[in-house]
Amino acid sequence: QVQLVESGGGLVQAGGSLRLSCVASGSILSINAMGWYRQGPGKQRELVALSNSGGGTNYADSVKGRFTISRDNAKNTVYLRMSSVKLEDTAVYYCNADLYGSSWQLKTYWGQGTQVTVSS
């Protein structure tokens, strides 16, 4: 079994910073992409940032220049550094990973989500 567990969410003032972490554990042979998605109140889930196995990254236009995704491959961990947060960044943030488990099949896994609330 593979699990993704997020941490680091909470309440932050507008303009402040926060760092989210996500650890993948279980029968993992290799991880391709890891990323962060979010779902705000009344909105659909959207991509925030993605880190592929080659080190490349992609960001939603709304977070470019403010958020930074990074990975520690030795720890199967992905981070999201959120800076200059805005009220509209309020959402549940989900960790996502495309990885090969013990069956050598590429599958997508999701974490349970961590709430980020930005206050004025």
Side-chain angles (χ1 to χ4, degrees), residues 99-110:
L99 59 87
Y100 290 94
S102 56
S103 65
W104 271 115
Q105 289 184 324
L106 185 64
K107 294 183 179 180
T108 298
Y109 294 86
W110 292 90

Side-chain angles (χ1 to χ4, degrees), residues 17-68:
S17 299
L18 203 64
R19 190 180 82 155
L20 306 182
S21 301
C22 171
V23 180
S25 63
S27 300
I28 298 170
L29 297 176
S30 177
I31 300 179
N32 281 8
M34 296 189 80
W36 291 93
Y37 289 71
R38 68 185 180 187
Q39 187 165 13
K43 298 181 180 180
Q44 291 187 331
R45 191 174 297 189
E46 62 177 359
L47 173 69
V48 177
L50 191 67
S51 172
N52 62 39
S53 58
T57 57
N58 290 312
Y59 294 92
D61 288 342
S62 58
V63 307
K64 282 181 182 177
R66 301 188 298 119
F67 291 9
T68 303

Side-chain angles (χ1 to χ4, degrees), residues 1-13:
Q1 285 286 5
V2 174
Q3 282 189 320
L4 301 182
V5 178
E6 303 102 334
S7 61
L11 181 65
V12 59
Q13 282 194 325

Side-chain angles (χ1 to χ4, degrees), residues 12-18 66-67 81-86 118:
V12 59
Q13 282 194 325
S17 299
L18 203 64
R66 301 188 298 119
F67 291 9
R81 176 69 177 177
M82 306 167 62
S83 301
S84 303
V85 296
K86 303 176 180 179
V118 182

